[in-house]
Amino acid sequence: MFDNLLGSFWPYTIDGLILGAIYGLVALGYTMVYGVLRLINFAHSEVFMIGTMAAAFVVMTMGITQPLTGFALVGGLLLMVLAGGLASAGSAALLERIAYRPLRKRGASRLAALISAIGASLFLQELFALVIIPHVFNRPQQGRNQMGVARIMQKDVLFTIGGAQIRIDQVIIFAASILMMILLDLLVNRTKIGRAIRATSQDPETAVLMGVDIDKVVRATFLIGGLMAGVAGALFVLQFEVTKFSIGFLLGIKAFTAAVLGGIGNIRGALVGGMFLGLIENYGAGIFGSGWKDVIAFTVLVLVLMFRPTGILGESLQQARA
């Protein structure tokens, strides 16, 4: 049973870390919104999906027929990341303005916000399946099909570790994820808006008395979480070269699992949880077969909620210190 895993330990490890890096970036959106509003934003998975669509649209618009090189490649990658990040950030901000803020202003229960999130998620899926993909991507009658994306770069092997080939795209994805995590950590802990986010997370009423604009903080939280999901979407397209109207559903649940695993509300824990979940998934696939990957992810979620609901790190956003 373990022979397959032991024989390909390093390839499973590398693939797990790359997938986990994407999980971690998406998980940051879940953990930040929960840290500020105590709300699980289940529409965040569609924010990620919008990021993949924006990145795919850039590749399609560029008319790529063969992998790019040199400055053209650098420009193409930056455009993908920029388009994915901006599209997702904008959609997250719009989602907050339409689906959540009216409920928050009326003092609605968290259950109402949860139902609104589920409704917004389904609406965005159907919007892309019925309108965006057939008309914007010019793929009529294919709105619900998986959509391939042209390869933007040659995935050359840079070096090997224990028999595992490390490709240039994998290095880019891992490095970009770590860089985004560091930038977010600095933003939350070293800037004025970061202090406002932490103050709101710790005590919203006192934060208001101290002059914090709660609406501005909530809007910034959704924008930042959406930006992270959009970057993750662009990196996902770079790695897997596909997208779909429902591509965020399963990955979003796994990213939520990563957030819980690292400690929901913990920014650093989100990335740690993502990496950990990616490794567990891949190791489990090596032992039981690839068909068990999703089962393993949800089993981890149940076990964490049962035995360590605070997650691996357990520190919440409100406890972070500058």
Side-chain angles (χ1 to χ4, degrees):
M1 181 180 292
F2 291 90
D3 291 344
N4 184 40
L5 174 61
L6 295 176
S8 303
F9 176 78
W10 283 108
Y12 280 122
T13 300
I14 299 302
D15 289 343
L17 289 174
I18 300 305
L19 185 59
I22 295 174
Y23 288 162
L25 282 180
V26 181
L28 288 169
Y30 285 106
T31 209
M32 287 196 68
V33 171
Y34 180 84
V36 171
L37 293 178
R38 294 296 182 270
L39 166 70
I40 303 299
N41 177 21
F42 280 113
H44 190 62
S45 56
E46 273 53 64
V47 173
F48 164 80
M49 178 269 292
I50 290 173
T52 68
M53 290 290 176
F57 183 75
V58 166
V59 175
M60 183 188 76
T61 303
M62 293 174 66
I64 296 174
T65 56
Q66 60 183 5
L68 303 177
T69 58
F71 289 111
L73 173 59
V74 174
L77 291 174
L78 289 176
L79 280 175
M80 284 179 63
V81 171
L82 188 63
L86 290 179
S88 290
S91 62
L94 193 61
L95 184 68
E96 185 274 331
R97 181 66 182 85
I98 296 174
Y100 297 130
R101 190 182 301 179
L103 297 177
R104 186 160 50 83
K105 293 294 186 182
R106 293 182 175 88
S109 67
R110 291 175 185 169
L111 178 60
L114 179 64
I115 294 171
S116 180
I118 295 172
S121 175
L122 294 174
F123 169 78
L124 288 172
Q125 284 190 24
E126 294 303 314
L127 176 67
F128 273 79
L130 299 175
V131 179
I132 304 297
I133 294 175
H135 300 290
V136 176
F137 286 86
N138 196 27
R139 301 201 179 190
Q141 310 302 322
Q142 298 182 26
R144 297 185 184 277
N145 297 340
Q146 182 169 282
M147 186 167 60
V149 181
R151 176 166 296 187
I152 192 173
M153 66 181 298
Q154 193 67 42
K155 299 184 176 181
D156 297 323
V157 175
L158 293 181
F159 54 91
T160 60
I161 297 179
Q165 296 182 335
I166 312 300
R167 303 192 312 267
I168 187 171
D169 60 305
Q170 294 174 321
V171 173
I172 291 173
I173 291 169
F174 191 80
S177 300
I178 298 299
L179 176 62
M180 295 300 293
M181 174 67 219
I182 292 172
L183 291 176
L184 178 60
D185 193 68
L186 290 174
L187 175 71
V188 171
N189 288 295
R190 301 293 177 87
T191 65
K192 183 178 179 180
I193 187 63
R195 289 192 294 272
I197 289 173
R198 287 185 284 117
T200 304
S201 175
Q202 186 173 16
D203 192 334
E205 290 78 13
T206 303
V208 171
L209 294 176
M210 297 298 291
V212 175
D213 186 339
I214 298 296
D215 286 339
K216 181 179 178 181
V217 168
V218 172
R219 185 165 55 249
T221 301
F222 273 84
L223 276 169
I224 295 168
L227 177 66
M228 294 294 163
V231 172
L235 297 177
F236 181 92
V237 170
L238 176 64
Q239 170 77 356
F240 298 103
E241 299 169 355
V242 295
T243 185
K244 191 180 182 182
F245 79 101
S246 60
I247 202 160
F249 176 72
L250 192 57
L251 190 141
I253 296 177
K254 291 181 180 181
F256 172 68
T257 302
V260 173
L261 183 58
I264 189 73
N266 185 310
I267 291 176
R268 296 172 185 173
L271 195 61
V272 172
M275 300 286 189
F276 195 62
L277 180 62
L279 288 173
I280 292 174
E281 265 196 16
N282 269 33
Y283 291 157
I287 296 172
F288 303 107
S290 60
W292 287 84
K293 287 184 70 172
D294 298 339
V295 176
I296 292 168
F298 299 132
T299 301
V300 168
L301 175 61
V302 172
L303 291 176
V304 170
L305 290 174
M306 287 177 60
F307 297 108
R308 189 172 174 79
T310 57
I312 296 173
L313 301 185
E315 179 189 356
S316 66
L317 179 64
Q318 67 187 36
Q319 294 171 314
R321 292 290 182 264

